[in-house]
Amino acid sequence: MSQESQIGVTGLAVMGANLARNIARHGVPVAVHNRTAARTTEFMEHYGGEGDFTAGETVETFVAALERPRRIIVMVKAGAPVDGVIEELTPLLDEGDILIDAGNSHFADTKRRTQACAEHGLRFMGIGVSGGEEGALLGPSIMPGGAREAYAEVEAVLTSIAAQVDGTPCCTYVGPDGAGHYVKMVHNGIEYADIQLIAEAYDLLRHVAGLEVADIAGIFDDWNTGDLESFLIEITAKVLAQRDESTGGPLLDAIVDQAEQKGTGRWTSQDALELGVPLTAITEAVFARTLSSLREEREVASQRLAGPVPGAAKGSTDGLVDDIQKALYASKVVAYAQGFQQMTAASQAHGWDLDLGAMATIWRGGCIIRARFLNRIRDAYVEDPQLENLLLVEYFRDAVADAQDAWRRVVSRATEEGVAIPAFSSSLAYYDGYRRERGPANLIQGLRDFFGAHTYRRVDREGAFHTRWAQDGKEVRTDT
């Protein structure tokens, strides 16, 4: 090797390999390693000429190839494999060395690993990397969490390999310990909702509006030139347009309708429950994937359960495409609003001091949920860093107000036609619940007090009260 490598990457599956190649292409000497030595050899055979790589056939030679303080990116499957790599590397490292987990680890694991590494004098970082295989190679969105001084030592490398939008790298310091992985988790949760909303829009266009797949591809292509412009809308048009070589029809018709998941959406919903954030769009998207997995049960149910056949009503489709477009945009706004509200709650709960405007900035390029209206979200948080909900921002408030009539027509039509649109309808329900000054929760609290003496508060005076419902019916104050 010509010189000590400035950074190391262990774990050379596609994401790790592409990240290492991206770093090397920016003139940074990189040491590479994989638990299976054959994969390291294969990497060097295919990509060794792309930059200054040093192959570590063993973990010892890999560590020895790095300049100090050592900086090592770990790109292995989340969970036990990450702990295994840390356990293997720790005895070989020195105080002040930096371990960087760039996989989709749960933020609680990252907090735990940060403390465990600190006991050995090591600095641990958890960074979210979004953009898939192509993003890892050509420029992802990067969400680094950990000690700020540790980030300072890798900032130049990370910002150079990140996607760039208007000259700004899609990478910025997020916060301590698990903050980076938390933001990536919420990013993935929003991605779940975004994809589910797109799928529901496709379902409506095909089975209610009665359009052919090729025509729907053209509609999504058109939508990508307006307010809905985003990476996911763009690739939806491409997926819809793809023909199947064996059948000659749309490839989509040959794909089994079972959506898989790796857990980040579920984690997002679980944490929202812990924080008390009403994360309806993302949670419904997770449930929809779970329901899709029950394929054999659904096949049986389709023969036994009554309900309207989509498209059989033959109702008017005039204006339906435009209505679906507006409903999709409004629902998308709700999904992002909920995701940012969750990050606000998590920032307060964990003391992270998240800059949500910065999060919107680094999501504008490289990542899966990159979209035109992230500029609007960034501007909203720049103007008001303490913003409670994006729906209260004038731009989004007016956009949803303009779309709501179409949104309601779409939800009503889908219900009449028997087409399930859980993300569309739950987003509308959230919007209606959020905008109501007084809802039915007073009855819920009255019932709780009846069967469990949980007490209630009154609108006309301070204090906690309990009514002796099953006794004399008298109200007593319980906080004195």
Side-chain angles (χ1 to χ4, degrees):
M1 61 183 177
S2 59
Q3 59 179 311
E4 288 184 317
S5 298
Q6 292 180 21
I7 199 163
V9 177
T10 179
L12 297 177
V14 177
M15 284 292 290
N18 282 359
L19 203 61
R21 294 168 63 196
N22 188 352
I23 295 171
R25 288 178 176 185
H26 285 82
V28 178
V30 184
V32 293
H33 168 264
N34 196 79
R35 182 176 56 85
T36 305
R39 178 163 281 179
T40 307
T41 302
E42 182 181 359
F43 175 90
M44 294 299 291
E45 290 175 350
H46 284 90
Y47 310 117
E50 292 185 359
D52 189 352
F53 291 110
T54 300
E57 295 186 359
T58 66
V59 68
E60 289 82 7
T61 57
F62 169 65
V63 170
L66 296 166
E67 68 179 20
R68 300 185 184 184
R70 302 178 182 93
R71 295 171 282 266
I72 298 175
I73 296 175
V74 179
M75 286 294 289
V76 299
K77 187 177 180 181
V82 178
D83 290 319
V85 170
I86 294 172
E87 185 177 346
E88 185 177 25
L89 286 171
T90 296
L92 305 174
L93 301 178
D94 296 318
E95 185 173 350
D97 288 349
I98 304 171
L99 281 173
I100 305 166
D101 175 13
N104 272 333
S105 290
H106 193 281
F107 77 96
D109 286 337
T110 303
K111 296 184 74 170
R112 170 179 59 80
R113 290 166 184 149
T114 299
Q115 295 177 341
C117 284
E119 293 174 1
H120 296 279
L122 305 177
R123 294 175 288 175
F124 188 80
M125 295 184 64
I127 69 172
V129 179
S130 177
E133 300 172 8
E134 182 176 325
L137 180 63
L138 303 179
S141 174
I142 304 176
M143 295 147 258
R148 188 178 285 275
E149 61 270 21
Y151 172 67
E153 296 191 29
V154 295
E155 180 177 9
V157 171
L158 296 182
T159 54
S160 69
I161 67 170
Q164 306 282 322
V165 175
D166 300 329
T168 300
C170 295
C171 172
T172 191
Y173 178 70
V174 176
D177 51 69
H181 275 147
Y182 190 94
V183 168
K184 176 56 164 52
M185 178 188 77
V186 175
H187 164 284
N188 284 21
I190 293 173
E191 177 187 314
Y192 271 60
D194 219 338
I195 291 174
Q196 177 64 26
L197 289 166
I198 289 171
E200 291 177 14
Y202 152 76
D203 200 9
L204 290 164
L205 290 168
R206 187 167 192 188
H207 297 112
V208 177
L211 300 176
E212 298 296 328
V213 174
D215 295 326
I216 301 172
I219 288 171
F220 273 94
D221 207 29
D222 289 341
W223 286 355
N224 197 46
T225 63
D227 289 337
L228 282 170
E229 180 188 344
S230 66
F231 173 69
L232 285 171
I233 296 291
E234 175 189 341
I235 66 172
T236 297
K238 294 178 179 179
V239 170
L240 289 164
Q242 185 69 33
R243 310 297 292 181
D244 180 31
E245 293 182 1
S246 60
T247 67
L251 176 60
L252 199 64
D253 287 348
I255 299 176
V256 174
D257 64 327
Q258 288 179 296
E260 298 177 358
Q261 53 185 312
K262 292 186 176 180
T264 46
R266 183 177 68 251
W267 293 346
T268 310
S269 295
Q270 289 171 338
D271 192 66
L273 288 171
E274 293 296 328
L275 292 171
V277 176
L279 200 73
T280 59
I282 293 171
T283 304
E284 287 293 352
V286 174
F287 286 152
R289 291 197 189 189
T290 305
L291 183 61
S292 79
S293 71
L294 305 178
R295 188 165 183 249
E296 293 181 359
E297 291 183 42
R298 289 189 290 111
E299 289 176 350
V300 173
S302 70
Q303 302 300 316
R304 298 184 183 179
L305 300 183
V309 177
K314 302 300 182 184
S316 173
T317 58
D318 292 345
L320 183 55
V321 172
D322 289 340
D323 279 357
I324 294 171
Q325 179 185 16
K326 290 180 178 179
L328 176 57
Y329 187 73
S331 299
K332 185 183 177 86
V333 169
V334 167
Y336 279 73
Q338 291 177 352
F340 274 80
Q341 195 172 40
Q342 179 171 357
M343 288 190 289
T344 297
S347 181
Q348 295 169 351
H350 299 283
W352 285 334
D353 193 26
L354 297 180
D355 182 344
L356 297 184
M359 299 308 99
T361 299
I362 65 174
W363 286 354
R364 294 181 304 157
C367 73
I368 303 302
I369 64 171
R370 59 186 184 266
R372 175 190 290 189
F373 81 163
L374 280 164
N375 285 313
R376 298 282 189 176
I377 296 177
R378 175 200 59 189
D379 294 345
Y381 281 103
V382 168
E383 183 174 341
D384 181 6
Q386 307 304 317
L387 178 65
E388 293 181 346
N389 193 307
L390 282 168
L391 289 171
L392 302 176
V393 176
E394 182 179 2
Y395 172 80
F396 293 112
R397 180 200 68 197
D398 293 348
V400 173
D402 179 65
Q404 70 164 315
D405 288 344
W407 198 5
R408 296 181 194 286
R409 286 193 295 269
V410 167
V411 171
S412 177
R413 181 68 177 270
T415 303
E416 292 173 351
E417 299 262 4
V419 174
I421 51 168
F424 272 38
S425 56
S426 67
S427 296
L428 178 58
Y430 169 86
Y431 175 73
D432 282 337
Y434 188 68
R435 69 182 182 82
R436 286 187 68 185
E437 181 180 3
R438 185 167 171 82
N442 50 339
L443 177 57
I444 294 173
Q445 200 60 20
L447 294 171
R448 294 182 73 245
D449 187 57
F450 191 112
F451 65 70
H454 293 294
T455 76
Y456 53 85
R457 290 179 295 114
R458 296 180 57 95
V459 297
D460 53 358
R461 56 184 183 271
E462 295 295 323
F465 298 86
H466 165 62
T467 290
R468 297 193 289 248
W469 305 91
Q471 300 165 29
D472 56 14
K474 291 188 178 298
E475 180 182 73
V476 294
R477 184 165 177 172
T478 63
D479 61 339
T480 57

